[in-house]
């Protein structure tokens, strides 16, 4: 108080020093939301401009697609906004047969494109499921090059031979399943595949061995949402005190009914060993309307999140945006609703050639997600998945992209680039290889918390290798020799 009185008694103004009055102090006490009244002596010094004026192009992540863009599709020309935002309408009009897809876009594309897509679906391991919302986001003036079309609608002319080291279940999820649909690989985490359907089917799905209906190429392992199968999973989780973290996936949590969300969430929250759970869904990227208009499902999710918070347990939503065009003004409304309800959203992307494998696209994706309160978590180097060799790219591409995006924004909004090591090694930081031969495209990883002694190998796409590497892969007798060389080099580095 003596210092304050001295300041008031001092009649001489001091340059650059703020003079506080008793009135200002009293105001701050009685109205804590108001700042104290401050007066300055002399003009304030100008703030130095350390950076040039902002380039508007750097703020393009804030420009979200809006308006009735779906009307560009002839089949949706007369659909008003209220109808388009109805999740039931989206689900009812989701396209599940190639002939229906071709019927909807027939006026927009050439007969040659239609024939190419028909051949693509005949050869694809994944069945077709595309929402009207997703279909409306594709650039139908140039569908062959559109990044969203590439992810969901195959073209026969673009398909390439699978890598010779590919396995249908490349991550060996079934081998690490003590009961059907529950993968226990990491010490404290398990993956619970609650069902085998999704709101859309991605070409690049790592679970093409189980997700969706049988295709001409793949007879699926079925993981239907039955009480008996779920009870076996819950019993195993309860029997393993080291398990603390459960991922609820499938399939897709979007396709669980509201009562299923509540039943699974509350059952896991009741287990004393469980501290964290994540509901995993592609839904916000392909049908955000469900978050806006399916009040029962939304309330069920929020209810589990809130109960978890009261129990001091974390319940979050994990989603899957791959390209900035997937985030629209409708997405913003959905993410705002989740944010207002206290639901934390993380994102896991898959690195795909000519979808998001350039610094420009990856930067825009990360910035746009952060603008909508979606936190970038992982970017996966594309798994070795049957029928999508045209989408895979290299470990070296991921390494360079990580350099390009690091420092773009806050660290908690910057993804970690990982390889989900084939053979069951789990997620490994893309830089952490023991050996990487860019000529043969073989990278070798270790995963001490999974298996201390085993080496896990990832294989870059053959078509992107130097000519010398392509020649060696063209000779089947060289395949095992290249693997032995890679493992020997990794062991040598470990010495």
């Amino acid at each position: 108080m003596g210092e304050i009185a001295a300041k008031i008694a001092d009649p001489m103004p001091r340059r650059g020093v703020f003079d506080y009055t008793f009135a200002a102090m009293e105001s701050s006490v009685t109205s804590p939301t108001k700042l104290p009244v401050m007066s300055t002596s002399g003009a304030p010094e100008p703030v130095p401009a350390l950076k040039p004026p902002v380039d508007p192009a750097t703020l393009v992540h804030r420009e979200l697609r809006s308006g009735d863009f779906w009307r560009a599709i002839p089949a949706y020309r007369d659909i008003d906004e209220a109808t388009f935002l109805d999740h039931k309408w989206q689900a009812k009009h989701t396209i599940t047969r190639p002939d229906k897809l071709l019927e909807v876009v027939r006026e927009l594309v050439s007969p040659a494109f239609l024939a190419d897509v028909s051949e693509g679906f005949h050869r694809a391991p994944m069945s077709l499921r595309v929402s009207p919302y997703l279909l409306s986001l594709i650039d139908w003036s140039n569908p062959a090059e559109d990044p969203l079309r590439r992810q969901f609608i195959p073209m026969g002319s673009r398909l390439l031979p699978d890598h010779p080291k590919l396995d249908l279940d490349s991550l060996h999820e079934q081998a690490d399943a003590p009961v059907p649909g529950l993968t226990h690989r990491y010490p404290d985490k398990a993956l619970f595949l609650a069902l085998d359907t999704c709101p859309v089917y991605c070409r690049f799905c790592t679970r093409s061995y189980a997700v969706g209906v049988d295709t001409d190429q793949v007879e699926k392992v079925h993981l239907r949402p039955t009480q008996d199968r779920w009870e076996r999973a819950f019993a195993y989780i309860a029997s393993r005190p080291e398990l603390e973290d459960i991922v609820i996936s499938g399939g897709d949590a979007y396709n669980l009914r509201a009562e299923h969300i509540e039943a699974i969430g509350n059952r896991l929250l009741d287990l004393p060993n469980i501290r964290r759970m994540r509901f995993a869904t592609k839904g916000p990227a392909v049908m955000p309307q469900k978050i806006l208009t399916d009040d029962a499902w939304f309330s069920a999710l929020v209810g589990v999140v809130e109960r978890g918070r009261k129990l001091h347990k974390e319940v979050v939503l994990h989603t899957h945006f791959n390209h900035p065009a997937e985030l629209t003004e409708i997405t913003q409304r959905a993410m705002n609703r989740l944010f207002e309800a206290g639901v934390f959203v993380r994102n896991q992307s898959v690195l795909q050639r000519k979808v998001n494998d350039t610094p420009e696209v990856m930067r825009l994706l990360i910035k746009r997600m952060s603008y909508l309160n979606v936190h970038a978590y992982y970017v996966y180097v594309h798994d070795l998945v049957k029928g999508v060799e045209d989408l895979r790219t290299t470990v070296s591409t991921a390494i360079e992209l990580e350099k390009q995006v690091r420092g773009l924004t806050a660290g908690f909004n910057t993804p970690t680039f990982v390889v989900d090591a084939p053979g069951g090694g789990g997620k490994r930081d893309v830089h952490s290889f023991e050996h990487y031969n860019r000529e043969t495209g073989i990278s070798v990883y270790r995963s001490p918390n999974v298996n201390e002694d085993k080496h896990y190998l990832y294989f870059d796409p053959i078509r992107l290798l130097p000519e010398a590497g392509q020649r060696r892969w063209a000779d089947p007798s060289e395949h095992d020799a290249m693997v032995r060389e890679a493992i020997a080099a990794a062991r040598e580095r470990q010495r």
Side-chain angles (χ1 to χ4, degrees), residues 3 21 55 111 115 224 276 307 343 358 372 403 474 491:
E3 293 179 3
T21 67
D55 180 357
R224 295 186 173 89
R276 300 172 298 278
R307 180 169 182 248
V343 180
T358 65
L372 301 187
K403 294 177 183 177
R491 287 175 173 159

Side-chain angles (χ1 to χ4, degrees), residues 252-295:
D252 194 301
Y254 235 46
N255 278 23
L256 291 169
R257 297 199 300 268
E259 57 266 32
H260 289 163
I261 294 286
E262 293 173 333
I264 293 172
N266 287 321
R267 182 65 176 273
L268 292 173
L269 287 175
D270 287 339
L271 298 179
N273 54 314
I274 300 304
R275 303 296 303 165
R276 300 172 298 278
M277 72 177 76
R278 326 168 204 172
F279 286 94
T281 173
K282 178 75 172 175
V286 297
M287 198 188 294
Q289 291 87 344
K290 185 178 181 70
I291 294 169
L292 294 172
T293 60
D294 190 346
D295 291 335

